[in-house]
Amino acid sequence: QVQLVESGGGLVQPGGSLRLSCAASISIFSFYHMGWYRQAPGKQRELVARINMSAIQNYADFMKGRFTISRDIPKNTIYQQINSLKSEDTAIYYCNGFAPGADYWGKGTLVTVSS
């Protein structure tokens, strides 16, 4: 069974930085693309960023300039570095892996931005 396991969430002050990790139980080349979504309290889940097999990256407009998605192929892991965190970035961040006919999700990691 394919598993995606996120880590790295926690409490951070406004203006701080955080790096989230998502480890896959299979080769990340098994996915057409992998990415990060987030869901804030009372809001719908939204795309934050994703990276495809060719390492092409796409970012949500609200994240441009503050977020970098990357991957470590030997470790089957993707990362997201978020800088200049704001209170509105508080959310559960989910890792996603998409392949034709299959869509996998991690359980999420909570990021709380507060002073």
Side-chain angles (χ1 to χ4, degrees), residues 42-85:
K43 295 188 177 181
Q44 292 187 334
R45 191 175 297 188
E46 60 183 355
L47 174 67
V48 176
R50 65 186 182 193
I51 183 168
N52 70 10
M53 296 176 68
S54 301
I56 296 173
Q57 303 162 25
N58 296 102
Y59 297 94
D61 287 341
F62 61 80
M63 276 299 189
K64 285 182 179 178
R66 298 195 296 123
F67 175 98
T68 303
I69 188 170
S70 61
R71 66 186 186 183
D72 186 327
I73 296 170
K75 293 183 178 180
N76 293 321
T77 299
I78 66 168
Y79 303 95
Q80 68 170 38
Q81 176 73 35
I82 312 175
N83 300 321
S84 302
L85 279 156

Side-chain angles (χ1 to χ4, degrees), residues 83-110:
N83 300 321
S84 302
L85 279 156
K86 308 173 183 179
S87 58
E88 52 263 43
D89 294 322
T90 295
I92 300 174
Y93 286 74
Y94 296 92
C95 180
N96 172 259
F98 174 80
D103 201 11
Y104 301 100
W105 294 91
K107 294 182 179 180
T109 185
L110 177 63

Side-chain angles (χ1 to χ4, degrees), residues 11-51:
L11 176 63
V12 62
Q13 293 187 340
S17 299
L18 207 61
R19 189 176 85 152
L20 306 182
S21 302
C22 170
S25 61
I26 60 174
S27 168
I28 60 175
F29 284 119
S30 301
F31 305 104
Y32 181 74
H33 56 71
M34 294 187 72
W36 292 93
Y37 289 71
R38 71 182 188 183
Q39 187 167 17
K43 295 188 177 181
Q44 292 187 334
R45 191 175 297 188
E46 60 183 355
L47 174 67
V48 176
R50 65 186 182 193
I51 183 168

